[in-house]
Amino acid sequence: MGKRKRETANKIKEARRELTFAKLKNVPSSPRKMRLVADMVRGVEVFKALGLLHFSNKQAAVDVEKLLKSAISNWEQKNGKKAENGELYIKTITVDCAPMLKRLRPAPQGRGYRIRKRSNHITLYVDTINKDTKDA
């Protein structure tokens, strides 16, 4: 690796150390269904988002709620203090496609229909509200 690439990589690593995030991989739900829940909580304060997710009818909300609790815990570990009401918000939440399982279902006259069992990866970044107002 060249010097310029190494320096750029180190800058990216340093910038990522400041961020607090949590990842959930290979969730057995389609990305389209998961994005409906992700759009519901994007940019919302974390404790309000926990309430939205807890009382949501969608099955995907259970996975996102678990991930959000993990991200809050990661932030508390990194900063050494408890998260207070109104301090944290969901900065970004992304839902990406994961590898899909391809299966065959028997069909009439000796044919087979394809079934694609989709799954997804979720990445959730949490940040403090006060930090953004100081920078602006």
Side-chain angles (χ1 to χ4, degrees):
M1 185 183 292
K3 183 179 179 183
R4 182 179 51 84
K5 274 189 173 179
R6 189 177 315 110
E7 289 174 356
T8 306
N10 287 335
K11 285 179 186 176
I12 292 170
K13 286 179 188 174
E14 287 297 321
R16 269 194 95 191
R17 281 197 188 113
E18 300 296 317
L19 300 174
T20 306
F21 65 96
K23 285 185 181 183
L24 187 59
K25 293 190 172 190
N26 296 320
V27 181
S29 166
S30 73
R32 186 176 184 177
K33 292 177 184 175
M34 191 63 74
R35 283 188 190 109
L36 289 172
V37 175
D39 292 341
M40 186 170 63
V41 296
R42 184 174 286 123
V44 178
E45 193 266 322
V46 291
F47 293 108
K48 184 178 177 186
L50 282 173
L52 287 170
L53 293 169
H54 185 73
F55 293 107
S56 175
N57 293 350
K58 304 224 175 260
Q59 180 63 37
V62 175
D63 296 323
V64 176
E65 182 181 5
K66 182 179 174 183
L67 183 69
L68 180 57
K69 287 179 181 176
S70 175
I72 293 169
S73 176
N74 290 346
W75 184 87
E76 289 172 350
Q77 286 288 320
K78 197 174 239 187
N79 294 317
K81 60 181 182 177
K82 296 290 278 181
E84 296 174 7
N85 206 1
E87 184 178 11
L88 292 175
Y89 77 104
I90 299 173
K91 186 174 183 181
T92 57
I93 179 170
T94 58
V95 179
D96 301 318
C97 293
M100 71 176 86
L101 300 172
K102 295 178 181 174
R103 302 288 183 259
L104 285 176
R105 165 170 270 151
Q109 299 180 355
R111 292 191 215 110
Y113 293 153
R114 286 191 189 136
I115 295 177
R116 293 176 305 215
K117 296 188 175 189
R118 298 176 189 271
S119 56
N120 61 60
H121 303 313
I122 313 165
T123 308
L124 190 142
Y125 287 90
V126 174
D127 203 2
T128 57
I129 293 173
N130 299 335
K131 188 166 94 171
D132 291 342
T133 56
K134 289 178 185 174
D135 294 340

